[in-house]
Amino acid sequence: MGDTLQTSIEETSKRISNPWPFRLWVTAVVVLTLTVTVIVTAWATRVALLHGSHLTQAQADAVLSVATFPHQVKVALKQVIKSQGDDPYPLLLDRKTTEKSHWQRSFPSASDTGYLLFSGV
């Protein structure tokens, strides 16, 4: 009985000391989960873009917001990198090309030909 118990303990010890089967299993589960997630996300984006009947409008808007997030990050990073220069005027824009007709302006007067200064925040 003692030899059998010792052999069983040694076999268990060998299985525990070799983590490769467990790591392979975890890697396979992670890869499968990521693959399914990418496929479902691509399907949802396609349905949202084609106005399919599988998603409500709120769900479609949420899917498209997530899909456009990487582009928004890229644009934001370009703006931050561009604003790192010594030019203090990147937010000083010509009023005639920027101002919309529906904007209400009480100061300065409508005849002022100056500029609009937009806050960077």
Side-chain angles (χ1 to χ4, degrees):
M1 171 115 180
D3 292 336
T4 308
L5 182 61
Q6 184 65 28
T7 306
S8 177
I9 291 173
E10 289 174 1
E11 289 176 4
T12 304
S13 175
K14 286 179 184 178
R15 278 188 264 150
I16 292 173
S17 66
N18 186 3
W20 284 107
F22 178 73
R23 289 181 182 171
L24 184 63
W25 181 82
V26 169
T27 303
V29 168
V30 168
V31 168
L32 180 65
T33 303
L34 287 175
T35 302
V36 169
T37 302
V38 166
I39 290 170
V40 170
T41 304
W43 169 83
T45 304
R46 183 176 186 274
V47 168
L49 286 173
L50 298 176
H51 305 292
S53 61
H54 297 293
L55 299 174
T56 65
Q57 187 60 42
Q59 290 171 333
D61 291 343
V63 167
L64 292 177
S65 294
V66 171
T68 59
F69 180 75
H71 176 71
Q72 293 172 350
V73 169
K74 178 182 170 185
V75 169
L77 288 175
K78 282 184 177 180
Q79 288 178 354
V80 168
I81 290 170
K82 183 179 177 183
S83 69
Q84 295 299 317
D86 294 332
D87 183 16
Y89 304 109
L91 296 175
L92 193 60
L93 305 172
D94 184 19
R95 182 188 66 122
K96 293 178 183 176
T97 60
T98 307
E99 191 173 34
K100 307 289 186 238
S101 61
H102 64 275
W103 288 3
Q104 180 181 3
R105 186 155 53 100
S106 57
F107 181 82
S109 67
S111 61
D112 183 22
T113 60
Y115 288 85
L116 295 173
L117 179 62
F118 289 100
S119 172
V121 179

